[in-house]
Amino acid sequence: MASWALIALAALAAAQASDKRGLCFTPNPEFPSDNHIWDAPGSRLSWYYNYGPSPSPAYVDRPQDEFEFIPMMWGVGPNPDDTNFLDTVRGLIDSGTEIRHVLGFNEPNGQFDTGGSEIAPAVAARAWVANFEPLGRMGVKLGLPACTGAPDGLVWLKDFLGNCSEIVSTGSETRNCTWDFLPVHWYDNFEGLASHIGERLATWPGSEIWVTEYAYAHRDLAETQAFFHQTLDWFDREDFIGKYTYFGAFRSATANVGVNAAFLNNDGELTDIGAEYVGEEPRGILPDTGKASGHTVSVVVMGMSLVASVILVSV
Ligand SMILES: *[C@@H]1O[C@H](CO)[C@@H](O)[C@H](O)[C@H]1NC(C)=O
Ligand SMILES: *[C@@H]1O[C@H](CO)[C@@H](O)[C@H](O)[C@H]1NC(C)=O
């Protein structure tokens, strides 16, 4: 094959959306134009979630085949048996949005003040049976709750599945709750991530892992970039990784995981890792540049807490 053809093929491959790679959407209301960096023509991102049950206004017109919205039930309100999440997802399906996957609770083993949903396994199990089991019967693929990377995450998940099994079992027959894939979050080094995922695979052999938040938080630029490349290669290569979303689709001044983890500088320009993630040529943009550089605020965590209060108030 002529070399120009190889180059053309390589360019085509680079421009194609990866069915694994997605967006963890934490919009900055001050800069709405940033939203369309992620779904621009040629972007390699094929799906997103926004910690909530409904599509984001920025992407409502995007067909599911191009940019799949994946609803999440972030936490549990005062009545664990309410079916608000189920009803919202059913409403989307009834109005023609093809929902193929849903995500369980966000960091239920983590505290409210760090973005966790702080749910006891027994309470989470009731909410799962009310909302997720019916979706599973409709053919929607179910993602287990995404625990933090802390060691108690595994204990929480086992307790949750045990509690869930107790609810769906009948006197004589032991049954398990249904799930299709296992999301994880990770903010430490690559070796730690590999052993974290290895532990999940050893506990639930053959499971499909989704990495729904990850970055090497608060590191220098070289370490951040090395981790980024190592994880991307690994995730794209391994069949047990179903999907992944880096936690960094925001400007560095709003990063609560360290400025170098951000995909955008403070003028909204793609950093090198941001450019690679969406499939553009890196241009050497340093994260801590642009007009608001130098002061770091945690609006990302505040954003998560806002999501939490909206969900808890609306039930
Ligand atoms: C239910 O969860 C609690 C923790 O909240 C745990 O102690 C208990 O063992 C769990 N039950 C089962 C059957 O796993
Ligand atoms: C239920 O899950 C447990 C723990 O993963 C497993 O050992 C058991 O075989 C499962 N039971 C059924 C009926 O699938």
PDB file of all heavy atoms in Angstrom, residues 204-217:
ATOM      1  N   TRP A 204     -14.781 -10.914  41.264  1.00  0.00           N
ATOM      2  CA  TRP A 204     -15.897 -11.196  40.341  1.00  0.00           C
ATOM      3  C   TRP A 204     -15.306 -11.561  38.977  1.00  0.00           C
ATOM      4  O   TRP A 204     -15.271 -10.715  38.062  1.00  0.00           O
ATOM      5  CB  TRP A 204     -16.826  -9.981  40.236  1.00  0.00           C
ATOM      6  CG  TRP A 204     -17.552  -9.700  41.527  1.00  0.00           C
ATOM      7  CD1 TRP A 204     -18.624 -10.386  42.022  1.00  0.00           C
ATOM      8  CD2 TRP A 204     -17.250  -8.680  42.486  1.00  0.00           C
ATOM      9  NE1 TRP A 204     -19.014  -9.851  43.234  1.00  0.00           N
ATOM     10  CE2 TRP A 204     -18.193  -8.806  43.545  1.00  0.00           C
ATOM     11  CE3 TRP A 204     -16.284  -7.675  42.562  1.00  0.00           C
ATOM     12  CZ2 TRP A 204     -18.176  -7.951  44.658  1.00  0.00           C
ATOM     13  CZ3 TRP A 204     -16.280  -6.838  43.668  1.00  0.00           C
ATOM     14  CH2 TRP A 204     -17.215  -6.982  44.697  1.00  0.00           C
ATOM     15  N   PRO A 205     -14.827 -12.823  38.839  1.00  0.00           N
ATOM     16  CA  PRO A 205     -14.124 -13.212  37.601  1.00  0.00           C
ATOM     17  C   PRO A 205     -14.984 -12.970  36.362  1.00  0.00           C
ATOM     18  O   PRO A 205     -16.197 -13.171  36.388  1.00  0.00           O
ATOM     19  CB  PRO A 205     -13.876 -14.708  37.808  1.00  0.00           C
ATOM     20  CG  PRO A 205     -13.901 -14.920  39.276  1.00  0.00           C
ATOM     21  CD  PRO A 205     -14.908 -13.930  39.807  1.00  0.00           C
ATOM     22  N   GLY A 206     -14.331 -12.496  35.329  1.00  0.00           N
ATOM     23  CA  GLY A 206     -15.018 -12.290  34.056  1.00  0.00           C
ATOM     24  C   GLY A 206     -15.820 -11.003  33.988  1.00  0.00           C
ATOM     25  O   GLY A 206     -16.507 -10.754  32.996  1.00  0.00           O
ATOM     26  N   SER A 207     -15.735 -10.164  35.043  1.00  0.00           N
ATOM     27  CA  SER A 207     -16.563  -8.958  34.986  1.00  0.00           C
ATOM     28  C   SER A 207     -15.949  -7.913  34.056  1.00  0.00           C
ATOM     29  O   SER A 207     -14.756  -7.911  33.773  1.00  0.00           O
ATOM     30  CB  SER A 207     -16.810  -8.387  36.381  1.00  0.00           C
ATOM     31  OG  SER A 207     -15.607  -8.184  37.061  1.00  0.00           O
ATOM     32  N   GLU A 208     -16.833  -7.034  33.576  1.00  0.00           N
ATOM     33  CA  GLU A 208     -16.412  -5.931  32.712  1.00  0.00           C
ATOM     34  C   GLU A 208     -16.232  -4.699  33.583  1.00  0.00           C
ATOM     35  O   GLU A 208     -17.125  -4.324  34.329  1.00  0.00           O
ATOM     36  CB  GLU A 208     -17.509  -5.698  31.661  1.00  0.00           C
ATOM     37  CG  GLU A 208     -17.253  -4.524  30.741  1.00  0.00           C
ATOM     38  CD  GLU A 208     -18.386  -4.333  29.727  1.00  0.00           C
ATOM     39  OE1 GLU A 208     -19.020  -5.334  29.315  1.00  0.00           O
ATOM     40  OE2 GLU A 208     -18.640  -3.176  29.375  1.00  0.00           O
ATOM     41  N   ILE A 209     -15.050  -4.098  33.499  1.00  0.00           N
ATOM     42  CA  ILE A 209     -14.718  -2.949  34.345  1.00  0.00           C
ATOM     43  C   ILE A 209     -14.891  -1.653  33.546  1.00  0.00           C
ATOM     44  O   ILE A 209     -14.446  -1.558  32.401  1.00  0.00           O
ATOM     45  CB  ILE A 209     -13.248  -3.034  34.831  1.00  0.00           C
ATOM     46  CG1 ILE A 209     -12.956  -4.390  35.520  1.00  0.00           C
ATOM     47  CG2 ILE A 209     -12.888  -1.841  35.711  1.00  0.00           C
ATOM     48  CD1 ILE A 209     -13.602  -4.587  36.855  1.00  0.00           C
ATOM     49  N   TRP A 210     -15.532  -0.679  34.150  1.00  0.00           N
ATOM     50  CA  TRP A 210     -15.585   0.682  33.580  1.00  0.00           C
ATOM     51  C   TRP A 210     -14.823   1.589  34.542  1.00  0.00           C
ATOM     52  O   TRP A 210     -15.071   1.555  35.757  1.00  0.00           O
ATOM     53  CB  TRP A 210     -17.014   1.191  33.469  1.00  0.00           C
ATOM     54  CG  TRP A 210     -17.853   0.589  32.388  1.00  0.00           C
ATOM     55  CD1 TRP A 210     -17.744  -0.659  31.822  1.00  0.00           C
ATOM     56  CD2 TRP A 210     -18.972   1.219  31.741  1.00  0.00           C
ATOM     57  NE1 TRP A 210     -18.720  -0.837  30.877  1.00  0.00           N
ATOM     58  CE2 TRP A 210     -19.488   0.298  30.805  1.00  0.00           C
ATOM     59  CE3 TRP A 210     -19.592   2.465  31.873  1.00  0.00           C
ATOM     60  CZ2 TRP A 210     -20.598   0.589  29.999  1.00  0.00           C
ATOM     61  CZ3 TRP A 210     -20.682   2.757  31.076  1.00  0.00           C
ATOM     62  CH2 TRP A 210     -21.166   1.824  30.142  1.00  0.00           C
ATOM     63  N   VAL A 211     -13.922   2.414  34.014  1.00  0.00           N
ATOM     64  CA  VAL A 211     -13.197   3.359  34.869  1.00  0.00           C
ATOM     65  C   VAL A 211     -13.871   4.722  34.669  1.00  0.00           C
ATOM     66  O   VAL A 211     -13.599   5.427  33.703  1.00  0.00           O
ATOM     67  CB  VAL A 211     -11.700   3.396  34.518  1.00  0.00           C
ATOM     68  CG1 VAL A 211     -10.942   4.227  35.553  1.00  0.00           C
ATOM     69  CG2 VAL A 211     -11.130   1.986  34.437  1.00  0.00           C
ATOM     70  N   THR A 212     -14.795   5.071  35.573  1.00  0.00           N
ATOM     71  CA  THR A 212     -15.674   6.217  35.317  1.00  0.00           C
ATOM     72  C   THR A 212     -15.166   7.536  35.902  1.00  0.00           C
ATOM     73  O   THR A 212     -15.786   8.578  35.682  1.00  0.00           O
ATOM     74  CB  THR A 212     -17.103   5.934  35.811  1.00  0.00           C
ATOM     75  OG1 THR A 212     -17.043   5.408  37.140  1.00  0.00           O
ATOM     76  CG2 THR A 212     -17.788   4.914  34.916  1.00  0.00           C
ATOM     77  N   GLU A 213     -14.080   7.489  36.672  1.00  0.00           N
ATOM     78  CA  GLU A 213     -13.340   8.689  37.082  1.00  0.00           C
ATOM     79  C   GLU A 213     -11.922   8.223  37.311  1.00  0.00           C
ATOM     80  O   GLU A 213     -11.710   7.257  38.046  1.00  0.00           O
ATOM     81  CB  GLU A 213     -13.844   9.250  38.429  1.00  0.00           C
ATOM     82  CG  GLU A 213     -15.029  10.167  38.392  1.00  0.00           C
ATOM     83  CD  GLU A 213     -15.278  10.827  39.768  1.00  0.00           C
ATOM     84  OE1 GLU A 213     -14.351  10.899  40.604  1.00  0.00           O
ATOM     85  OE2 GLU A 213     -16.413  11.253  39.989  1.00  0.00           O
ATOM     86  N   TYR A 214     -10.953   8.911  36.717  1.00  0.00           N
ATOM     87  CA  TYR A 214      -9.565   8.572  37.036  1.00  0.00           C
ATOM     88  C   TYR A 214      -8.646   9.712  36.622  1.00  0.00           C
ATOM     89  O   TYR A 214      -8.951  10.481  35.696  1.00  0.00           O
ATOM     90  CB  TYR A 214      -9.119   7.266  36.361  1.00  0.00           C
ATOM     91  CG  TYR A 214      -8.848   7.381  34.872  1.00  0.00           C
ATOM     92  CD1 TYR A 214      -7.539   7.494  34.390  1.00  0.00           C
ATOM     93  CD2 TYR A 214      -9.885   7.388  33.954  1.00  0.00           C
ATOM     94  CE1 TYR A 214      -7.282   7.598  33.025  1.00  0.00           C
ATOM     95  CE2 TYR A 214      -9.639   7.504  32.603  1.00  0.00           C
ATOM     96  CZ  TYR A 214      -8.342   7.615  32.144  1.00  0.00           C
ATOM     97  OH  TYR A 214      -8.104   7.734  30.799  1.00  0.00           O
ATOM     98  N   ALA A 215      -7.548   9.818  37.334  1.00  0.00           N
ATOM     99  CA  ALA A 215      -6.451  10.745  37.037  1.00  0.00           C
ATOM    100  C   ALA A 215      -5.382  10.428  38.077  1.00  0.00           C
ATOM    101  O   ALA A 215      -5.667   9.765  39.076  1.00  0.00           O
ATOM    102  CB  ALA A 215      -6.880  12.201  37.168  1.00  0.00           C
ATOM    103  N   TYR A 216      -4.139  10.858  37.818  1.00  0.00           N
ATOM    104  CA  TYR A 216      -3.101  10.773  38.845  1.00  0.00           C
ATOM    105  C   TYR A 216      -3.093  12.168  39.464  1.00  0.00           C
ATOM    106  O   TYR A 216      -2.507  13.092  38.908  1.00  0.00           O
ATOM    107  CB  TYR A 216      -1.768  10.413  38.192  1.00  0.00           C
ATOM    108  CG  TYR A 216      -0.679   9.955  39.137  1.00  0.00           C
ATOM    109  CD1 TYR A 216      -0.930   9.671  40.472  1.00  0.00           C
ATOM    110  CD2 TYR A 216       0.620   9.775  38.655  1.00  0.00           C
ATOM    111  CE1 TYR A 216       0.081   9.239  41.317  1.00  0.00           C
ATOM    112  CE2 TYR A 216       1.637   9.336  39.491  1.00  0.00           C
ATOM    113  CZ  TYR A 216       1.359   9.078  40.811  1.00  0.00           C
ATOM    114  OH  TYR A 216       2.368   8.654  41.641  1.00  0.00           O
ATOM    115  N   ALA A 217      -3.797  12.318  40.602  1.00  0.00           N
ATOM    116  CA  ALA A 217      -4.116  13.645  41.124  1.00  0.00           C
ATOM    117  C   ALA A 217      -2.921  14.323  41.791  1.00  0.00           C
ATOM    118  O   ALA A 217      -2.124  13.670  42.465  1.00  0.00           O
ATOM    119  CB  ALA A 217      -5.276  13.533  42.116  1.00  0.00           C
TER     120      ALA A 217
END
